[in-house]
Amino acid sequence: MSTTARLNTRTGEVLDDTLAEPFADFLTQHMGGRVHDDASRELRELNRAVAEHGKRGTLAVIVTVEAPKGHVEGGPLSIAVATVLKAPKGVTPATVYYLDREGNTSRRDPRQDSLFDDPVAGEARVRAAVANALRGRADEVPADLVDDLVAGLTAAGLGPQP
């Protein structure tokens, strides 16, 4: 009975040929280790995505072995290795929209009057809101401060627009 042996080129260990080559050894040697490096990066990406989103993901390593046309026993084999990453992603929440008369979307309910549709009425409403917020102290607030508040709200897009 004859036995054969093979040499693990990475460790220098002589192995009985009846033992299968460790898959990790194959993966680190295939294509100069590029597939192993890619799979390592993708595993880190998968771990981060699962930790962030709390959902399951997968990383598959697919090995495709193919014999060339006209293959004869003992001939070379073509081996390709690919990874398929399916990492969870965040879900963008839905947002409510209304349709205007023309059927276009709007974040504003077209049936609802806006506080700032009419600039003159809008300024009066802002002034009333400021005065209401200062209940009982409106006489303590100088008129120019109210003007500054209205101007600031308008500049921020929160007050009446001209």
Side-chain angles (χ1 to χ4, degrees), residues 38-40 42-44 46 57-61 83-86:
D38 290 345
S40 297
E42 289 176 350
L43 179 60
R44 182 179 57 206
L46 176 62
T58 60
L59 173 62
V61 177
T83 59
V84 178
L85 174 64
K86 293 183 182 177

Side-chain angles (χ1 to χ4, degrees), residues 15 27-28 44 52 74 91 96 102 107 117-118 125 128 140 145 148 153 158:
L15 301 171
L27 199 56
T28 56
R44 182 179 57 206
E52 180 181 347
V91 177
V96 174
E102 291 79 32
R107 295 293 310 258
D117 280 344
D118 176 9
R125 287 189 199 105
E140 300 172 21
L145 178 58
D148 290 345
L153 288 170
L158 301 172

Side-chain angles (χ1 to χ4, degrees), residues 38-136:
D38 290 345
S40 297
R41 274 192 298 280
E42 289 176 350
L43 179 60
R44 182 179 57 206
E45 182 181 333
L46 176 62
N47 291 337
R48 288 179 178 167
V50 169
E52 180 181 347
H53 301 293
K55 295 182 180 177
R56 179 178 105 153
T58 60
L59 173 62
V61 177
I62 300 169
V63 179
T64 304
V65 180
E66 189 174 8
K69 286 188 177 189
H71 174 71
V72 294
E73 187 175 342
L77 300 174
S78 172
I79 301 177
V81 181
T83 59
V84 178
L85 174 64
K86 293 183 182 177
K89 296 180 182 178
V91 177
T92 305
T95 303
V96 174
Y97 285 89
Y98 298 92
L99 295 181
D100 63 13
R101 289 182 187 151
E102 291 79 32
N104 297 312
T105 56
S106 171
R107 295 293 310 258
R108 205 178 118 234
D109 185 347
R111 302 168 298 172
Q112 177 87 28
D113 287 335
S114 172
L115 178 63
F116 306 115
D117 280 344
D118 176 9
V120 175
E123 184 173 336
R125 287 189 199 105
V126 169
R127 287 180 182 278
V130 169
N132 191 33
L134 300 170
R135 274 178 258 164

